[in-house]
Amino acid sequence: QEDPQVLATFLRELEPLPEPDREYRWRVRCMGEECRVAADDVPYVVQRIEPAEGPNPKQVTLIFPGNYREKLDPKTLFVGKENVPYCQVRNGKFTARFNRQPYLDLSKWVAFDKKKRQYCLVLGKKQYLIQGV
């Protein structure tokens, strides 16, 4: 069974390898040992989102395995291959992928800007362009 504290610590402590090889791109140091990490796409996967109070939130919290949480930086939201949404986390050090449900939940605040002819995320009274759409 997965231990939420271990998962949260893992996500908080993950760092890129100084010289990644073909298989491993990240590492976690634990009890004096280096544990190398591989992922098919990215190591951070958003499981749920939690909007701030109100019908038009100013902020959204991303929730990862182990209940690790981070505030969404809406300026970093983009759509990648196969229409999968991503954003930057950990002060831009890592890319996170959205699972389907959190992306659908986030889409409640997506609008089309007719002037810019682009989709944007609307949080509070601010619009953030979504790259790659």
Side-chain angles (χ1 to χ4, degrees):
Q1 179 155 356
E2 297 174 350
D3 183 333
Q5 285 184 313
V6 170
L7 287 170
T9 300
F10 172 85
L11 292 174
R12 223 180 359 267
E13 300 298 323
L14 189 67
E15 59 186 35
L17 278 169
E19 295 181 28
D21 58 37
R22 290 178 52 184
E23 187 174 355
Y24 299 103
R25 296 185 0 214
W26 307 281
R27 70 179 173 196
V28 173
R29 294 175 197 234
C30 181
M31 298 176 67
E33 291 187 33
E34 176 181 280
C35 304
R36 292 183 172 226
V37 179
D40 289 338
D41 186 10
V42 295
Y44 291 85
V45 180
V46 179
Q47 303 295 305
R48 299 185 328 269
I49 64 167
E50 188 174 272
E53 295 293 320
N56 190 8
K58 293 180 182 178
Q59 183 65 56
V60 172
T61 300
L62 308 174
I63 304 171
F64 297 91
N67 204 33
Y68 173 72
R69 295 165 175 257
E70 262 200 44
K71 301 285 186 202
L72 169 65
D73 179 352
K75 295 176 288 210
T76 68
L77 189 62
F78 69 97
V79 176
K81 291 186 276 183
E82 299 180 28
N83 294 320
V84 175
Y86 295 86
C87 68
Q88 297 299 306
V89 294
R90 305 255 328 265
N91 296 315
K93 292 180 187 175
F94 294 90
T95 300
R97 176 176 55 84
F98 284 76
N99 268 348
R100 184 177 306 246
Q101 190 59 54
Y103 177 49
L104 292 174
D105 293 341
L106 191 67
S107 71
K108 296 173 191 173
W109 302 289
V110 171
F112 186 73
D113 184 319
K114 291 180 183 178
K115 288 183 182 178
K116 295 178 182 174
R117 300 184 49 81
Q118 181 139 7
Y119 286 94
C120 56
L121 180 65
V122 180
L123 294 177
K125 295 185 180 189
K126 292 186 179 180
Q127 289 188 349
Y128 303 91
L129 294 180
I130 302 172
Q131 301 301 316
V133 180

